[in-house]
Amino acid sequence: MTVGGTNGERRAPATLHDVAREAGVSLATASRSLNGSTRKVNEEYRQRVLAAAAKLDYSPNLSAQAVARGTSTTVALLVADIADPYFAQIAAGVVREADHEGLIVTMAATERDSERELELVRSLRGQRPRVMILAASRRADDPAATALAEELRAFEANGGRVAFIGATEAPHRSVALDNAAGAEALARALVQAGYRGFAALTGAEGLRTAEDRLGGFLAGLAASDLTIAPEHIVRPAFTRDGGYDGMRTLVELGIGEIDVVFAANDVMAVGAMSAIRDAGLVPGRDVAIAGFDDIPTARDVTPPLSTVRLPLEEVGRRALRLALDTIGPGDDLPVRAEVVLRASTPTRAR
Amino acid sequence: MTVGGTNGERRAPATLHDVAREAGVSLATASRSLNGSTRKVNEEYRQRVLAAAAKLDYSPNLSAQAVARGTSTTVALLVADIADPYFAQIAAGVVREADHEGLIVTMAATERDSERELELVRSLRGQRPRVMILAASRRADDPAATALAEELRAFEANGGRVAFIGATEAPHRSVALDNAAGAEALARALVQAGYRGFAALTGAEGLRTAEDRLGGFLAGLAASDLTIAPEHIVRPAFTRDGGYDGMRTLVELGIGEIDVVFAANDVMAVGAMSAIRDAGLVPGRDVAIAGFDDIPTARDVTPPLSTVRLPLEEVGRRALRLALDTIGPGDDLPVRAEVVLRASTPTRAR
DNA sequence: CCGAGTCGGGTAAGCGCTATCCATCATGGT
DNA sequence: ACCATGATGGATAGCGCTTACCCGACTCGG
């Protein structure tokens, strides 16, 4: 198709100007026929322009369009850690929906550091994205919180849209995950299944998602006048290794009174299962375990992990729709968190 | 779901012009003192500008900079599926390195469709990214291959950089993963461990990564005059469910002569383990299994999965460095693929 | 004391587009 | 016929920024 440029011949990409000249029309006409415009243009001209564009392998300079139009086609996504399946699934949803809307997503990782998060938001703002989606976990005691709020307020004042995932951040839109209700339902289900001695592996104090889930779980237990002994609530890192370490702590403490361990997310639960096994015990038999999220591997570990399912990809898609106001069917409904009992929490004969 | 915060008056973001006016200097001086320039500017002026920028909460319009400078600060990343841990890890590496270089990464998913891949490359080109990283798996018989090559050639001719991950694509830079050698080493290790009856779960015919891994594995067996019966080479989808289905097929076919199954990647292996278990067998005892990649969950399944470790995050980082010519220590060395034997392939007494 | 250098701020010409305004020309109602 | 009325192509003024380029103010050696 395109000819020339043997090696390293660095010709600049074709511009709209080139296309217009090639087609023998004005810049305006070329612009109108290539990029959506309300104006009609003579079909013959249009064809000529299209042909010229194809011939020159023209591809519109998105930055230039953004500058000229005063609005970009970008959505910025902030997650804590891309490799974590929780965020990876959300990201997959956002990317898919964005693609659907003809938008481009740029991604950044906070690495669970709220200073970094603030800095990233600040720098991402430079892109003038249409939407910013914040999926990175918020913490209640965040020192950078007000600065972040300020930054987001400014962003919105400039016409940007913000959507949070997980936490409901006061003035912004958000896809609320019913962490508390899901955990509560899980707790009830476990009580129902005959469990009485509980322990919890949850994230660092102040981590919203972790707190909500633990709170819900405790509420579910409270409904049956049960609770968790303070020493049986461990707060390691909110990661697989955190789960492993936390479970080790629990095992060392003595596991006699613990029937089941509630891990505040699945990756922790998976780590915990490995810790249980490394301690010479059998998860599901010697001590049951349940997680939260229903990441894909939950069903592939042994025994399959009981958990609370969150439709994470859908959450990602919905966050974008929400921010864009392109609500789809069912988007008004809350995100359903559904208890999924598997073999890691077998029914206990009492 | 909270909606709101859209009511504030919509003032436009501060421009450099505003900052200059506020500081009482010219546009040029403002530009020079805010964004790196070779020109020196009087320290007092500089401070005034900085103060003005802070006061107005100025954030440079990246699109405008890109247009003016003729070069963006973007790197485009193409993967097959973001939620797949293989790609998620690579993406994490790319994002981290990009952040390190002050670049922004935009991400797109091909969903394993090469038509889509072509289209994405085409549209991503509009961003005029500094770098394009293609991690999505290539296939030998790709009908869109020449068009893609053409597109990439044009991109490079315009000064863009391209880096492939996995496949070594003729004229481009690439981080080669030694799929063949790794699989070969794995095969030798398994033979060494006493295995004699082999089966393989690999991707669709023509999928480069899958072919290379299978080829290497067969070569490793051949060294001991062993091979895999054609009916024991199954080619389902290159995903967890593919692994599950493929293993089911194998089980239905009769597993009598199979000691160990080699899955061409870990997610398939994990799916296969579930299939084995669902068939009432015990993976590692009734039939051993090994994968490839060493995704994080490999060590958390039961039994822990034998595999070939690929430093995927490092691969992502290296791909970017490679494209940017900012080679770091050890970047000239090939990526090491290391056999990791775990309990899913116990040593067999013979 | 003068011409040749720096130094450093300002002016303005772009970058590749879009959008506004004009000019032109074919209609059509009366 | 004649003018209001649409259409539709073409200049052109930006969009927010960078970067020659210009030019006045200094510094200095001879």
Side-chain angles (χ1 to χ4, degrees), chain B residues 212-259:
Chain B
D212 289 353
R213 291 178 181 180
L214 177 61
F217 195 81
L218 288 173
L221 295 185
S224 301
D225 285 324
L226 293 166
T227 186
I228 306 183
E231 68 272 24
H232 287 164
I233 298 183
V234 187
R235 298 174 178 282
F238 212 45
T239 62
R240 184 267 176 202
D241 290 348
Y244 186 95
D245 296 343
M247 191 64 223
R248 266 232 318 224
T249 306
L250 241 28
V251 169
E252 281 164 13
L253 232 63
I255 219 169
E257 325 211 307
I258 302 176
D259 300 334

Side-chain angles (χ1 to χ4, degrees), chain B residues 314-348:
Chain B
E314 176 56 27
V315 165
R317 309 186 61 152
R318 196 193 283 205
L320 185 50
R321 285 199 297 265
L322 184 64
L324 252 26
D325 280 328
T326 57
I327 31 153
D331 277 358
D332 42 338
L333 305 174
V335 174
R336 274 189 41 204
E338 184 188 353
V339 174
V340 182
L341 256 26
R342 300 201 179 97
S344 73
T345 58
T347 303
R348 275 170 78 90

Side-chain angles (χ1 to χ4, degrees), chain B residues 119-130:
Chain B
E119 221 142 286
L120 285 173
V121 167
R122 209 162 253 160
S123 104
L124 287 178
R125 207 149 69 76
Q127 292 187 71
R128 305 287 184 271
R130 270 243 255 287

Side-chain angles (χ1 to χ4, degrees), chain B residues 54-74:
Chain B
K55 179 174 172 199
L56 300 181
D57 199 11
Y58 171 75
S59 141
N61 184 323
L62 258 37
S63 294
Q65 288 191 325
V67 171
R69 296 213 248 250
T71 157
S72 76
T73 60
T74 306

Side-chain angles (χ1 to χ4, degrees), chain A residues 35-350:
Chain A
N35 318 64
S37 156
T38 44
R39 291 275 303 257
K40 216 184 305 172
V41 7
N42 182 308
E43 186 55 22
E44 190 204 319
Y45 279 10
R46 226 177 64 82
Q47 290 305 332
R48 282 224 311 260
V49 172
L50 260 38
K55 179 174 172 199
L56 299 181
D57 199 12
Y58 170 75
S59 141
N61 184 324
L62 259 39
S63 293
Q65 288 190 324
V67 171
R69 292 195 173 128
T71 157
S72 76
T73 60
T74 305
V75 5
L77 172 62
L78 220 59
V79 299
D81 172 10
I82 300 166
D84 183 317
Y86 174 84
F87 295 108
Q89 277 189 270
I90 290 177
V94 171
V95 167
R96 180 164 291 147
E97 184 72 20
D99 184 80
H100 183 73
E101 297 285 336
L103 300 174
I104 281 174
V105 6
T106 80
M107 187 132 146
T110 65
E111 322 253 354
R112 301 196 158 76
D113 173 346
S114 63
E115 286 295 339
R116 248 183 83 69
E117 177 174 26
L118 177 58
E119 221 142 286
L120 284 173
V121 167
R122 208 162 253 160
S123 105
L124 287 178
R125 207 149 69 78
Q127 292 187 70
R128 305 286 185 270
R130 269 244 256 287
V131 172
M132 236 185 244
I133 297 183
L134 307 214
S137 25
R138 323 265 49 258
R139 36 178 63 249
D141 58 341
D142 193 339
T146 57
L148 182 68
E150 178 54 37
E151 204 68 32
L152 293 177
R153 223 193 33 65
F155 176 65
E156 287 205 315
N158 298 341
R161 313 310 220 103
V162 173
F164 276 86
I165 288 177
T168 304
E169 208 67 15
H172 304 289
R173 293 149 199 257
S174 75
V175 178
L177 305 180
D178 212 343
N179 289 317
E184 180 171 344
L186 176 62
R188 287 173 189 269
L190 291 176
V191 170
Q192 177 75 23
Y195 290 95
R196 292 296 178 270
F198 296 88
L201 258 29
T202 179
E205 193 115 27
L207 195 58
R208 284 273 282 275
T209 305
E211 293 292 359
D212 288 353
R213 291 178 180 180
L214 177 60
F217 196 81
L218 288 173
L221 295 185
S224 303
D225 285 324
L226 293 167
T227 186
I228 306 183
E231 68 271 25
H232 287 164
I233 298 184
V234 187
R235 299 174 178 282
F238 212 47
T239 63
R240 184 269 176 200
D241 289 348
Y244 186 95
D245 296 343
M247 191 65 222
R248 266 234 316 226
T249 306
L250 241 28
V251 169
E252 281 163 13
L253 234 63
I255 218 171
E257 324 211 307
I258 302 176
D259 300 334
V260 58
V261 176
F262 168 58
N265 69 37
D266 281 356
V267 292
M268 291 183 81
V270 166
M273 285 178 67
S274 281
I276 292 171
R277 200 165 268 120
D278 287 355
L281 302 172
V282 176
R285 194 196 63 189
D286 297 323
V287 53
I289 178 142
F292 205 115
D293 290 341
D294 197 23
I295 61 174
T297 36
R299 53 180 181 165
D300 286 322
V301 290
T302 313
L305 183 65
S306 292
T307 186
V308 178
R309 171 176 305 152
L310 246 28
L312 293 173
E313 208 212 282
E314 176 56 27
V315 165
R317 309 185 61 152
R318 195 192 284 205
L320 185 50
R321 286 200 297 266
L322 184 65
L324 251 26
D325 280 328
T326 57
I327 30 151
D331 277 358
D332 42 336
L333 305 174
V335 173
R336 276 194 34 210
E338 183 187 354
V339 174
V340 181
L341 257 25
R342 299 201 180 97
S344 72
T345 57
T347 303
R348 275 171 79 90
R350 289 200 62 80

